[in-house]
Amino acid sequence: MTMLARTMAPMARVVGPGHPARGRVRLLAVVVVLAASIGVSAKTAFADADARKFVDVHNAVRAAVPKPADYAGPWAPVPPVAWSDEIARGAQAWAEHLRDTRKCGLLHSDTRYGENLAAGKDMDAERAVGMWAGEIDKHEYSPIYAFEPRSGHYSQIVWRTTTTIGCGRASCGPNAVVVCRYSPAGNRIGSAPY
């Protein structure tokens, strides 16, 4: 049964065959179905644009990773990441949890993914990723990674083997919290970051 038929069925029982209002009810049903589909499309388009922004700013940071002076072997640029709706759903749920339980305060989740958090006034993809990428000045490349809290957000963004990301955002008035998750997770102690 189509969406239009499901919408029409209850109305057809109220306005039977030959009733003068039947044509108006049919038109109303078509309008309701179209409005619902437009609403879904608008929501999806917004989500897609938001996802694209997160991917683009992450990939700009990844593309800018220079070959370290002491890098052994041939250098290949850090590959771009792609968006994962599945990872994004979990990140969005955690962002909403932080909004609802911590008023957009930060607390890492217990996830198998890598995770970066940011919060502040008008926090969005560019501000959050820009803040994390700003740690590059504190980042010291080593072929064997040892976690460095001063640059852990940056190293997670540029971790070579990370292939997918998903992010979420929740608002608390003028402030917002952003959660980005990374798969496979980076910042693996003893591994090469890139």
Side-chain angles (χ1 to χ4, degrees), residues 43 47-48 58-59 62-63 88 95 102 108-109 130 135 149 162 184 187:
K43 184 177 179 187
D48 288 347
H58 274 85
N59 284 336
R62 292 170 69 86
R102 301 183 66 85
H108 279 286
S109 66
E135 295 175 355
T162 295
N187 292 350

Side-chain angles (χ1 to χ4, degrees), residues 39-57 82-86 88-89 125 165 167:
V40 169
S41 297
K43 184 177 179 187
T44 302
F46 174 79
D48 288 347
D50 208 31
R52 172 60 38 212
K53 180 59 76 177
F54 274 109
V55 168
D56 288 348
V57 294
W83 186 258
S84 165
D85 287 335
E86 177 186 345
R89 279 191 293 276
I165 65 167
C167 301

